Amino acid sequence: MDRIIADKVGAQGWYERMPRALPIAGFALAMLASLVYAYTTERTEYRQRQQQARAAASVVGASLGRRVNAHTAYLRAAALLLEKRRGMTQAEFIALSQELSGDEEYRGSEGISWAEAITPAQIPAFEAARRAEGMGNYTVHPAPAPGARMLTPVTYLGDPTPRRRLSYGYDMYSEIQRRTAIDRAEREKRPIATGPIRLAMDRGRPAWPGFLIYMPLFDKATGRMRGVLGAPFNAQVFLQSVIELEPVNDFSVSLYDGAVRPDRLLAQVGPPGGRDDRVQEPVMVAHRPMVLVVSAPAAPGLSKVAIITLALGSVVAGLLGGMAWLVARQAAEDRASLAWLREQASIRGC
């Protein structure tokens, strides 16, 4: 019996020298395994979110591109029809707009407008002609700056709702973003989008920024620009109309003008997204570079799988630590038993 206990105690000698080593090591190894598994799970889910965001960005970007191409195609078609006419009335322009807006791909725009190119000297006659058409107190505004060579006041609207009538007479050439786009459209003879602007019809009310796409019309005889067709967009409404046709679940979709900066944000749909797994998709809107950003919702913490893994790992680590503590305790008891037996043997030998 003494021999058996002595062999057992000898094998467990290191338990007694480091009684806390086995419980701590068992607990630490189990927790380390749980942490590694939880980290691997989080990385896998992160990669999956990135892949989903990349796929969503590709789909939304393609849909947005198709929508913009549809708008520019309609502007080109309208320009070809109007270039054949020397004159036009509000009723004729409304009829033309209704033909264009019947297509599903034309959703998201505030309709189309016509802005005739005039000189400051032509303002009185121009205003009188509009009022004679029944356009009430039509007035060109703001007043032209000294030395202005050209004005492009909003002349006709395809769908003159009360809100949209607020833009009647507004000289689009008086504002730098619009003027830059009009000059470029005149120079390149193709549809050009503006930078971020506040639509004239949105003044006095909170709204997301907007932008316009301009298509110039030219006099074939003189080559002079007669005016510009415009397609105004509320950027938020436009992006929302695209998302409605291309569901992206709970992803956040944002549209930026040129660069991804807070001051260049045009529109955002969905909950605020996280910054780590967002995907950027460059898009061209009527020859103006924009950036589409798609990101997964900001995660409040660890995923459910990681939390369950850590919880189970803690339980397993606790059990292993407890078992190790019992083994260490048993080793101490065996050592005490051996000491007692030796003491008894010594007493008998006396």
Side-chain angles (χ1 to χ4, degrees), residues 34-321:
S34 300
L35 289 172
V36 170
Y37 187 79
Y39 174 78
T40 303
T41 301
E42 287 293 293
R43 292 298 301 173
T44 301
E45 291 198 0
Y46 170 77
R47 287 192 290 269
Q48 288 178 346
R49 288 197 303 269
Q50 273 201 321
Q51 292 174 356
Q52 292 170 353
R54 195 174 292 111
S58 178
V59 170
V60 175
S63 179
L64 190 147
R66 289 195 304 270
R67 186 68 60 84
V68 170
N69 290 338
H71 285 287
T72 55
Y74 288 135
L75 287 175
R76 289 180 183 274
L80 289 174
L81 292 174
L82 295 179
E83 280 182 349
K84 298 178 182 179
R85 304 182 182 182
R86 296 301 306 170
M88 179 172 43
T89 65
Q90 172 74 77
E92 291 173 339
F93 191 75
I94 291 175
L96 174 65
S97 174
Q98 289 175 344
E99 292 178 6
L100 297 178
S101 61
D103 195 292
E104 188 70 14
E105 286 292 332
Y106 203 71
R107 297 173 58 204
S109 170
E110 295 284 352
I112 61 174
S113 64
W114 164 247
E116 189 170 334
I118 62 174
T119 63
Q122 295 175 308
I123 291 177
F126 183 78
E127 292 177 338
R130 303 287 79 72
R131 292 170 184 171
E133 286 187 274
M135 299 175 70
N137 57 348
Y138 183 97
T139 304
V140 175
H141 62 280
R149 67 176 182 86
M150 181 177 71
L151 293 82
T152 54
V154 177
T155 310
Y156 296 134
L157 296 171
D159 184 15
T161 63
R163 171 173 163 264
R164 292 172 181 166
R165 288 194 189 101
L166 294 173
S167 60
Y168 270 143
Y170 176 71
D171 176 21
M172 293 187 287
Y173 206 71
S174 65
E175 192 270 324
I176 181 64
Q177 290 280 8
R178 293 173 171 87
R179 181 167 63 250
T180 300
I182 291 173
D183 286 342
R184 185 183 170 193
E186 180 182 13
R187 184 172 61 254
E188 299 180 9
K189 296 180 174 57
R190 63 180 181 177
I192 297 294
T194 70
I197 59 171
R198 173 58 61 90
L199 299 179
M201 65 187 73
D202 284 337
R203 65 178 183 267
R205 60 196 293 265
W208 283 84
F211 62 92
L212 285 121
I213 298 178
Y214 288 122
M215 179 65 200
L217 270 72
F218 297 91
D219 188 306
K220 292 185 177 180
T222 64
R224 183 183 68 87
M225 188 177 73
R226 292 171 50 192
V228 290
L229 283 167
F233 297 84
N234 179 299
Q236 180 72 12
V237 175
F238 177 61
L239 183 59
Q240 183 67 53
S241 70
V242 174
I243 299 300
E244 287 176 357
L245 299 180
E246 304 292 347
V248 292
N249 300 324
D250 55 352
F251 284 95
S252 170
V253 181
S254 304
L255 182 64
Y256 291 85
D257 177 61
V260 182
R261 302 200 314 259
D263 61 321
R264 307 300 291 177
L265 179 63
L266 289 172
Q268 179 178 327
V269 177
R275 297 182 60 85
D276 295 336
D277 51 358
R278 67 183 185 179
V279 174
Q280 299 183 17
E281 180 81 8
V283 294
M284 291 296 291
V285 176
H287 306 286
R288 185 175 183 88
M290 296 188 184
V291 182
L292 194 69
V293 176
V294 178
S295 57
L302 296 176
S303 65
K304 292 182 179 179
V305 175
I307 292 174
I308 293 173
T309 299
L310 291 176
L312 291 176
S314 299
V315 173
V316 172
L319 291 174
L320 287 177

